[in-house]
Amino acid sequence: MLRQTIFPPGALAAAAVLSILCCTGESTRLPAAAVLEDSLIRLEVTPSAGLAVAFKSAQETVPLATGAEPAFLLVDTLGRRIPFSLQESQSCDCTGDICPGPGKGIRLVLACRGEPALEGVVLEARLCLHASRPGVVVGRVEARGLSAKALSSLQGTRFFALTARADLADQSLAPFDFHLFQGAVYGWGKWYTRIKLTPDYDAPNWTVKHGEVQPASGGFPLDYLWTPRAGLA
């Protein structure tokens, strides 16, 4: 699993692009409410509000991310991850909104569980497939109902978190057995361009200065994991 960036509470609207890097394929079609898929990618929202992702081809479907962990969280001032449960999912039209062109997607509404300071806080996530870009999911998350009390209890957010496992794609591999392109700079002249992951690999993908951990800054805001069978960016 790649370590996830924790964003400060001022950044409570986040956008991301998730893609299967492969050749272009057929046009997008809209399946059931909690599943998005086209000719190259299948994304399922699990009961735990995780994102299970798989690469699709005409011959097979290759899973890459389990969906076991919640993909959308708020983090309190003690660093605790506050769980949100999926309350609602429905089809939506993303055209001209989060999708730069024609696209259909799903809208998720998640509510906080058992945290009095965050009572009434709701996360709304929208995930969209671009009709002309098979294999690419565009996403946006917004937090609603944030009172002054709620904001004072928060340290940040954790959105679009994935648990990727190489052994889902190939049972002969270890779970960490990916190659990785990581675009962040950890020191001038030190670019992580092709890394063979090890069990203890741990590095946040900061592209801005982050104190002593990462005194330099810059790079590409992109991570790409791949196995011989499929990859996930």
Side-chain angles (χ1 to χ4, degrees), residues 167-233:
D167 58 340
L168 296 176
D170 185 339
Q171 293 183 1
S172 68
L173 301 177
F176 60 85
D177 206 359
F178 287 102
H179 278 86
L180 168 67
F181 171 88
Q182 185 170 358
V185 178
Y186 281 78
W188 293 119
K190 185 177 182 182
W191 292 79
Y192 289 99
T193 54
R194 184 181 179 183
I195 307 163
K196 185 67 173 68
L197 292 189
T198 58
D200 58 350
Y201 181 81
D202 182 19
N205 194 46
W206 293 101
T207 52
V208 296
K209 290 185 179 181
H210 193 59
E212 295 180 0
V213 177
Q214 189 175 336
S217 63
F220 302 100
L222 172 70
D223 289 332
Y224 174 41
L225 289 164
W226 73 92
T227 72
R229 295 184 67 197
L232 180 66

Side-chain angles (χ1 to χ4, degrees), residues 65-134:
T66 67
E69 291 193 39
F72 312 101
L73 292 172
L74 297 181
V75 182
D76 70 11
T77 53
L78 300 176
R80 295 183 306 157
R81 296 169 179 174
I82 303 167
F84 278 69
S85 59
L86 184 62
Q87 299 292 301
E88 179 186 338
S89 66
Q90 62 184 45
S91 302
C92 66
D93 186 350
C94 303
T95 302
D97 184 6
I98 64 170
C99 196
K104 297 290 185 178
I106 53 177
R107 172 180 172 268
L108 311 173
V109 178
L110 303 101
C112 184
R113 304 197 305 263
E115 193 68 31
L118 296 181
E119 184 177 356
V121 176
V122 171
L123 300 180
E124 180 180 314
R126 284 172 293 165
L127 302 168
C128 180
L129 286 169
H130 195 303
S132 63
R133 296 289 186 272

Side-chain angles (χ1 to χ4, degrees), residues 1 4-7 14 16 18 43-53 65-75 81-86 108 110 113 123 125 127 140-141 157-163:
M1 178 181 176
Q4 299 296 325
T5 299
I6 303 298
F7 295 95
L18 177 71
L43 184 148
E44 178 183 357
V45 182
T46 66
S48 62
L51 298 178
V53 184
T66 67
E69 291 193 39
F72 312 101
L73 292 172
L74 297 181
V75 182
R81 296 169 179 174
I82 303 167
F84 278 69
S85 59
L86 184 62
L108 311 173
L110 303 101
R113 304 197 305 263
L123 300 180
L127 302 168
R140 180 176 177 85
V141 185
T157 68
R158 183 175 185 259
F159 293 159
F160 306 104
L162 294 175
T163 302

